[in-house]
Amino acid sequence: MKKGTVLVSGGAGYIGTHTAVELVAAGYGVVIVDNLANSEACAVEGVRRITGIEVPFEQVDACDGQALRGVFEKYGFVSAIHFAAFKAVGESVADPLKYYRNNLTSFMNLCALMHEFGRSDVVFSSSATVYGQAGVLPVTERSPRLPATSPYGNTKQMAEDILRDCCAAYACMRGIALRYFNPIGAHPSTLIGELPRGVPQNLVPYITQTAAGIRPCLSIFGNDYPTPDGTCLRDYIDVVDLARAHVAAVDRMTQGRMEASYEVFNIGTGRPVSVLELVEGFERANGVEVPRKFAPRRAGDVPAVWADTRLAARALGWQAVRPLEETLRTAWAWEKRIRGIK
Ligand code: NAD
Ligand code: UDP
């Protein structure tokens, strides 16, 4: 049965494309809005090929309120998922205004138009970065948010607060913030995946590019952390599982199952994995070697963070299901496809 239509802002990006695919699979219509600041139009083609549907795409900057208004006038969606943002932590430290302007203006434009047009449901892409180094692990949604260590992290905290306040003030509005842990992997079709520009900042794209011979050696940042093998612990979540969490959030809103007008959920696996375990797991899963060396700690990294996933399981009826080994296979399959490696 056809459900409503969902506006997916930033829908040509890594997580947005996977979410668009899962929304269509679940029976939703999708409209993708993206200015292609960090993506390519071919990503939308990938979504169309996987779904077999000519998913509408509007090349619009969400910071341009008039242009975004045009999208609201053209399509009758009731739900929106806001992925559109810049996400490079280091760049946000070097150029904070670029981040505050893009990440917050785009989101405030979206919220204002949702309110004005009487559209109710907003899902926001937040991040485990809001927890900083939590005193108690795993983190629950009630764990305190610690002061952000970068302007990027600060935009996530501020946007959560904007959504919370809008939902409290505007009777028609409901919001869910999903705090992602570490999204990795690609769609099993290899038609969509992560397309980092320049030198990858994140671990898995760096691993796949090293395995592909594009980078000579992976630097493991820090091996003297207070963790079992000395490297940092993270909660790596498969991007298709993550995409399905968005479907669960939209279902919860459209089916009137929310317990408050604004809710927050951790989206992770609940399993801590060290950097070394991840690299070795990648080698085992794919039968390839990843040259590596230990390097000094990276500024701003927290030693360990992983999710308590019980609330998402209970309220969203969602949990991560894909084994890490399979996820690491999709990451390598995607890298090979885009590099033309057999
Ligand atoms: P991405 O860069 O692949 O996707 C973001 C998309 O938004 C891009 O296609 C980009 O072109 C678009 N965009 C940026 N500014 C825009 C604007 N003003 N108007 C229209 N489109 C715009 O990143 P992603 O990894 O898919 O991340 C999606 C969201 O999830 C972001 O908000 C990010 O901060 C958040 N998030 C990502 C991670 C991660 O590790 N990937 C972790 C936690 C949270
Ligand atoms: N990391 C690393 N080498 C790299 C990139 C990342 O050792 O080239 C480590 C990083 O220090 C952190 C983990 O991998 O402990 C995950 O980093 P990522 O940037 O992917 O995500 P984060 O948890 O920082 O958001």
Side-chain angles (χ1 to χ4, degrees):
M1 193 194 66
K2 184 93 189 293
K3 299 178 182 170
T5 295
V6 183
L7 174 81
V8 182
S9 75
Y14 173 45
I15 304 169
T17 45
H18 290 81
T19 300
V21 166
E22 296 306 317
L23 285 165
V24 171
Y28 286 98
V30 167
V31 177
I32 292 178
V33 167
D34 202 299
N35 63 353
L36 305 182
N38 194 39
S39 49
E40 314 277 342
C42 64
V44 177
E45 283 314 314
V47 172
R48 290 174 175 161
R49 277 185 65 189
I50 295 168
T51 59
I53 285 174
E54 202 56 21
V55 172
F57 168 52
E58 301 287 342
Q59 188 171 342
V60 160
D61 183 345
C63 293
D64 178 344
Q66 277 315 320
L68 194 59
R69 171 182 294 275
V71 177
F72 275 72
E73 285 165 350
K74 188 165 167 189
Y75 301 96
F77 51 85
V78 290
S79 311
I81 307 178
H82 187 74
F83 293 104
F86 295 145
K87 62 170 182 176
V89 174
E91 187 188 44
S92 82
V93 174
D95 192 355
L97 281 176
K98 176 174 175 180
Y99 277 69
Y100 287 118
R101 192 183 295 124
N102 190 57
N103 295 7
L104 297 180
T105 306
S106 63
F107 189 54
M108 285 191 290
N109 280 346
L110 180 102
C111 289
L113 287 162
M114 293 296 282
H115 176 228
E116 182 187 328
F117 281 72
R119 317 274 172 90
S120 49
D121 308 336
V122 178
V123 178
F124 173 67
S125 295
S126 192
S127 165
T129 190
V130 302
Y131 295 118
Q133 182 54 71
V136 180
L137 291 165
V139 286
T140 75
E141 291 78 355
R142 289 174 184 275
S143 300
R145 292 188 325 187
L146 296 185
T149 54
S150 71
Y152 167 73
N154 212 15
T155 67
K156 292 298 171 198
Q157 298 203 0
M158 292 165 88
E160 282 192 355
D161 292 346
I162 290 167
L163 185 55
R164 179 202 61 203
D165 293 347
C166 288
C167 294
Y170 307 134
C172 88
M173 233 168 124
R174 296 178 293 219
I176 292 183
L178 298 180
R179 292 178 179 157
Y180 314 156
F181 282 68
N182 289 62
I184 62 166
H187 195 267
S189 66
T190 70
L191 290 171
I192 51 174
E194 196 171 3
L195 275 177
R197 294 200 168 151
V199 181
Q201 306 299 309
N202 294 112
L203 180 59
V204 168
Y206 209 106
I207 289 175
T208 56
Q209 290 196 10
T210 306
I214 298 160
R215 313 271 156 212
C217 184
L218 168 76
S219 291
I220 296 179
F221 299 138
N223 63 342
D224 57 353
Y225 283 102
T227 59
D229 66 18
T231 65
C232 293
L233 296 172
R234 294 289 183 274
D235 183 335
Y236 295 94
I237 167 97
D238 185 280
V239 68
V240 175
D241 279 336
L242 172 60
R244 290 185 181 145
H246 293 79
V247 177
V250 173
D251 282 346
R252 181 170 171 84
M253 295 174 126
T254 53
Q255 293 165 7
R257 289 189 281 115
M258 289 180 75
E259 286 163 19
S261 62
Y262 171 70
E263 296 177 333
V264 176
F265 298 105
N266 285 344
I267 303 298
T269 65
R271 213 162 10 99
V273 173
S274 78
V275 176
L276 260 183
E277 283 172 330
L278 194 87
V279 179
E280 288 166 1
F282 180 88
E283 292 183 324
R284 257 195 323 276
N286 295 302
V288 287
E289 256 185 73
V290 180
R292 57 184 172 270
K293 61 174 190 233
F294 290 118
R297 292 180 177 195
R298 185 172 70 175
D301 275 344
V302 297
V305 64
W306 69 94
D308 184 315
T309 59
R310 285 172 297 178
L311 185 62
R314 198 168 62 239
L316 295 177
W318 170 91
Q319 58 185 10
V321 293
R322 185 175 282 177
L324 181 60
E325 195 184 354
E326 256 179 56
T327 303
L328 294 172
R329 282 203 201 105
T330 63
W332 180 227
W334 165 250
E335 185 72 49
K336 283 198 294 185
R337 178 172 162 264
I338 58 176
R339 306 291 168 196
I341 299 170
K342 290 286 165 221

